[in-house]
Amino acid sequence: MKKSLLRVAAPFLLLAVAARPVAAQIQPELNPAGTRSSDTMRVQLALPLDSLVAEPAAADSAHLVWLQTPPELRDLVGDRIGCLDTDMPHVFNGTVMSFVNYFTLRNRSYTQRILERQNLYFPLFEKYLAKYNLPQDLKYLAVVESALLPTARSRVGAVGLWQFMGPTGRDMRLVQNEYIDERMNPEKSTEAACKYLRDLYRMFGDWELVLAAYNWGGGNVQRAMKRTGKKTFWDLYPQLPKETRNYVPTFTAAMYTLQYAKEHGLHNDSLHYLYPEAIDTLMISGRSLDLRKFSAQFGLDSAAISKHNPEIRKPFLPETVRNYRLTVPACVRTELALLDRNTVLDFCKVVVPPPRPITPLAPTLLGTDSTATAIAATEKAEAEKPKYRRIRHSVRRGESVADVAERYEVSPAAIRRWNKLRQGKALVPKQQLVVFVPAEASETPAPAVAAVRKASVPTKLPLPADKAEKTDKAEKAVVAVKTAKATPAAVTNDTDDSVTPEPEKAVAAPTRAARAVRETVAAAETKTKAAVAPDDSLPTEYTVRRGDNLTRLARERGVTVAQLLAWNSLETEAVVPGQKLLLRAPTEAEASAAIKASARRVAAAAPPAPRAEALPAPKVHMVQPGDTLYNISRRYQGVTVEQLRKLNNLKSDEVKPGQKLLVQG
């Protein structure tokens, strides 16, 4: 009986003996005081998720940064973040500290590039955040999204300062087509971002969840909350993607770094800080505009228009664009006022190349299919004809891949692909690059056609003052040539008849001189007649009717308002019915008669008894398409939007084209 019991109990005894060492390895040993050891490597502590004590033995990068950061610096950064007076999240932990080290130590140049653009965009952000009653510190969200680059593009297709995806941008009424992408427009995208953030806050009521939803999507955050039952960002932290988990700590670190950039020595004299420039707007609607021609007309840099209008995706605007406000530098305003607006826009329109001529077909002969043979031969010749021509370009000092691509009208990516260049690698002076251009574009046109095109299309519209100066120069040239023409005769009469030159030289020299004088006189007289003589096919005088104004008259006659003012000696643009206006430059007789008449009028109007000096007439501005009170106030020095409202008894900022506004009382 005992043997059978031992036989049954032996396996259980062996299992118990074998299990004791395993149990000893799992249970923590007791110290001499009778308490358990504090070896946290083996004990599972029920601590908050964000506590670094709960990190596993193989610490991540945030834990390493935390351990490597001096305790004094950690305490200082934690105190500063805790004292931030803001409605935005400012929790301090190891992840935030790792991003603070990234912004202030590991990648200082990246932060300094942001500081250079800070003064350019932050005032715009603050204006729209105040308009929609949002916290001002939300402006640091654009730093996290795009590093304050309006043309930034992510790997998933988000674009602009606020990194809108295509569907979200269309939901916020941002235009996206082949020519314009308003996600890159700083003003419109900022207003759309403020509306989107306002809607997210109405949905969640917590700014940490709003930031997570801005990155991951509001629907995704709502589904995660419904699935887990959690209501805060840190409760949802394990359920979020890695990028979204780091989003809120990155925002906190960026907010701290830009507010304490001076304390970390990020500012220095070598930085090129950007500030807002004085700008104006030009309404484009129903007509094409070549931006390169427009820049050349006003002497602007080729990148100036693109810098002020980053949403334009091509170097031109088509005729299908309606009511587009082109932002231009304020320096353009003076020259644009001297030239007629329609004349400038017609000059800068996109020129479409003429259609290619149709290849004639050979006649059909009886008994042979000559047409098919000719077509096959033509197609074979076209196929064998090279479509591209290879060009070697020698790099100049300071030239980049983008400059070379713009010169030959190809893409920078193609230049890098043809020459096996790495992205971001600078070019070396005298480096040889290979460029392929279309063979048809490289062919030189006929000399006669080239001469006609060069003469008919000027590179820049001349100002009215330039035309008058050229006319004076032509008249002086005619007078000088006539004087030179009369001088040889006088010299011939005074010469001594006893001196006889050699026969051949005596005949050849006067002949060449006379021919040169005749050609010079004929050319100068032709230029003078072309510049001064009026066009007999058009009326030279016009009687003002009711409802006329100088702007409409100038547009209909193909002249400028400045020319009409100069030709008729007008001080203002005001005209009255019955008044006679000259539609061409006055002749010398008309000008002298006008001077004598004005002198007689001044002499006849004797000044009466001295009286108080008359007050200057108030200045009036006629609202043009695209004008706003803000733009009008910037055109007149010392005038504000509030003054314009008071002077014109306006209850809102809305103005209409054609409306007249007092700009000075």
Side-chain angles (χ1 to χ4, degrees):
M1 184 67 180
K2 291 181 180 180
K3 291 181 180 181
S4 61
L5 289 175
L6 284 173
R7 199 178 292 114
V8 174
F12 293 101
L13 292 173
L14 290 173
L15 287 175
V17 172
R20 286 185 63 81
V22 179
Q25 292 177 7
I26 296 177
Q27 294 294 331
E29 298 177 356
L30 299 178
N31 54 25
T35 59
R36 291 184 176 179
S37 174
S38 59
D39 186 3
T40 57
M41 298 290 293
R42 301 177 182 177
V43 180
Q44 300 295 328
L45 300 178
L47 295 177
L49 174 69
D50 196 42
S51 175
L52 290 173
V53 183
E55 294 284 344
D60 60 2
S61 59
H63 186 55
L64 288 175
V65 171
W66 180 273
L67 295 176
Q68 294 171 0
T69 305
E72 297 81 5
L73 180 59
R74 289 193 311 224
D75 295 340
L76 179 62
V77 174
D79 291 342
R80 287 174 176 174
I81 292 180
C83 294
L84 291 177
D85 185 14
T86 175
D87 295 332
M88 302 307 299
H90 49 281
V91 175
F92 180 66
N93 53 35
T95 308
V96 174
M97 190 66 214
S98 67
F99 284 110
V100 169
N101 279 352
Y102 177 81
F103 288 133
T104 59
L105 295 176
R106 293 161 52 200
N107 203 346
R108 292 171 61 87
S109 61
Y110 173 81
T111 309
Q112 288 174 339
R113 299 292 82 77
I114 296 173
L115 291 173
E116 288 178 342
R117 297 183 285 267
Q118 175 182 355
N119 297 321
L120 181 61
Y121 293 110
F122 274 13
L124 175 67
F125 299 163
E126 291 167 357
K127 181 181 76 171
Y128 281 103
L129 289 171
K131 178 180 178 181
Y132 290 93
N133 297 320
L134 297 174
Q136 290 290 311
D137 288 330
L138 278 174
K139 61 190 176 185
Y140 300 109
L141 184 61
V143 176
V144 180
E145 288 287 349
S146 62
L148 300 184
L149 287 172
T151 57
R153 185 181 297 272
S154 72
R155 64 182 184 278
V156 295
V159 175
L161 284 168
W162 299 92
Q163 291 291 284
F164 277 109
M165 296 293 290
T168 309
R170 282 186 283 272
D171 291 342
M172 304 309 297
R173 306 294 179 88
L174 295 177
V175 176
Q176 301 171 51
N177 54 41
E178 184 182 356
Y179 305 99
I180 295 174
D181 190 347
E182 290 185 348
R183 292 180 295 173
M184 293 185 283
N185 183 295
E187 194 148 349
K188 292 185 178 180
S189 64
T190 300
E191 186 168 11
C194 291
K195 294 179 181 178
Y196 187 55
L197 289 168
R198 180 191 60 184
D199 295 342
L200 289 177
Y201 187 73
R202 290 173 179 173
M203 185 184 303
F204 296 103
D206 181 83
W207 284 115
E208 290 178 332
L209 290 176
V210 167
L211 295 179
Y214 192 91
N215 177 257
W216 195 28
N220 291 330
V221 174
Q222 282 184 326
R223 284 189 288 272
M225 293 172 64
K226 186 177 180 180
R227 184 174 63 253
T228 61
K230 308 295 184 181
K231 301 297 182 182
T232 65
F233 173 79
W234 296 108
D235 291 339
L236 287 171
Y237 191 89
Q239 310 298 327
L240 300 176
K242 180 180 179 181
E243 182 180 351
T244 307
R245 286 202 302 266
N246 292 333
Y247 197 73
V248 173
T250 307
F251 175 85
T252 305
M255 180 170 59
Y256 163 79
T257 302
L258 294 186
Q259 291 192 16
Y260 288 94
K262 186 176 181 181
E263 286 75 5
H264 287 274
L266 292 168
H267 289 285
N268 57 57
D269 297 335
S270 64
L271 300 183
H272 303 287
Y273 295 100
L274 303 178
Y275 296 93
E277 300 177 9
I279 58 173
D280 207 341
T281 57
L282 182 66
M283 183 66 74
I284 306 297
S285 182
R287 64 173 75 205
S288 62
L289 180 67
D290 192 330
L291 300 180
R292 289 174 292 190
K293 278 187 179 180
F294 187 84
S295 301
Q297 168 64 31
F298 296 101
L300 300 175
D301 183 14
S302 59
I305 298 297
S306 299
K307 180 181 70 174
H308 290 290
N309 303 272
E311 68 274 13
I312 300 179
R313 304 177 61 182
K314 294 183 179 292
F316 65 91
L317 291 174
E319 295 182 353
T320 54
V321 171
R322 292 289 184 272
N323 300 326
Y324 177 76
R325 294 183 182 180
L326 182 71
T327 304
V328 296
C331 60
V332 175
R333 186 188 310 158
T334 304
E335 190 171 350
L336 196 60
L338 295 176
L339 296 169
D340 184 51
R341 178 178 177 274
N342 291 324
T343 304
V344 173
L345 295 180
D346 290 340
F347 173 74
C348 297
K349 68 180 180 180
V350 178
V351 179
V352 180
R356 296 180 60 184
I358 301 175
T359 305
L361 299 177
T364 304
L365 300 179
L366 297 176
T368 60
D369 191 2
S370 58
T371 303
T373 305
I375 292 175
T378 303
E379 292 178 351
K380 183 178 180 181
E382 290 290 336
E384 294 177 353
K385 185 178 178 181
K387 297 182 180 180
Y388 293 94
R389 187 165 66 95
R390 178 173 177 158
I391 296 177
R392 282 198 170 274
H393 175 80
S394 181
V395 178
R396 301 175 183 175
R397 185 179 298 276
E399 204 168 29
S400 64
V401 175
D403 298 333
V404 177
E406 183 179 2
R407 178 176 179 179
Y408 294 101
E409 296 184 354
V410 295
S411 65
I415 297 286
R416 287 192 291 269
R417 185 174 68 254
W418 293 333
N419 297 275
K420 299 181 180 179
L421 300 176
R422 293 200 307 269
Q423 180 78 24
K425 182 180 179 181
L427 299 179
V428 181
K430 297 185 180 180
Q431 181 181 355
Q432 299 297 318
L433 298 180
V434 176
V435 183
F436 293 93
V437 298
E440 296 179 358
S442 63
E443 294 177 358
T444 306
V449 177
V452 171
R453 288 181 180 176
K454 188 174 182 180
S456 60
V457 181
T459 57
K460 184 178 178 181
L461 286 175
L463 295 176
D466 298 339
K467 293 181 181 178
E469 186 177 348
K470 290 181 181 179
T471 305
D472 294 340
K473 288 182 179 179
E475 292 177 355
K476 291 179 182 178
V478 173
V479 173
V481 170
K482 288 182 178 178
T483 306
K485 187 177 180 181
T487 302
V491 173
T492 305
N493 293 334
D494 296 339
T495 54
D496 189 2
D497 297 336
S498 61
V499 181
T500 306
E502 296 180 6
E504 295 181 0
K505 293 182 180 179
V507 174
T511 304
R512 293 195 190 102
R515 187 184 301 117
V517 169
R518 283 197 300 272
E519 291 176 357
T520 308
V521 171
E525 289 179 352
T526 303
K527 290 182 180 179
T528 307
K529 289 179 181 179
V532 178
D535 188 2
D536 297 334
S537 62
L538 297 175
T540 60
E541 194 175 24
Y542 177 78
T543 303
V544 179
R545 302 175 184 175
R546 186 181 299 277
D548 283 345
N549 56 72
L550 284 187
T551 303
R552 186 167 64 83
L553 293 176
R555 185 169 62 250
E556 292 176 353
R557 267 68 184 178
V559 296
T560 64
V561 176
Q563 289 175 329
L564 291 179
L565 292 173
W567 295 341
N568 297 277
S569 303
L570 300 177
E571 297 181 355
T572 64
E573 297 184 10
V575 292
V576 295
Q579 182 179 355
K580 296 188 179 299
L581 298 177
L582 285 176
L583 301 180
R584 57 168 175 78
T587 60
E588 294 182 1
E590 291 174 345
S592 59
I595 293 174
K596 292 178 181 179
S598 62
R600 285 197 298 270
R601 286 197 300 271
V602 171
R611 56 182 179 180
E613 185 178 358
L615 294 174
K619 293 183 180 180
V620 179
H621 175 82
M622 180 173 290
V623 179
Q624 302 296 327
D627 278 353
T628 62
L629 285 186
Y630 177 68
N631 288 342
I632 296 171
S633 67
R634 293 177 66 178
R635 295 179 186 175
Y636 300 92
Q637 188 174 5
V639 179
T640 63
V641 175
E642 194 64 30
Q643 290 176 351
L644 288 176
R645 290 200 202 97
K646 290 181 180 179
L647 284 173
N648 298 277
N649 298 323
L650 299 177
K651 296 182 180 179
S652 65
D653 292 349
E654 184 179 357
V655 291
K656 298 180 180 178
Q659 182 179 354
K660 294 183 178 180
L661 298 177
L662 290 174
V663 296
Q664 183 177 345

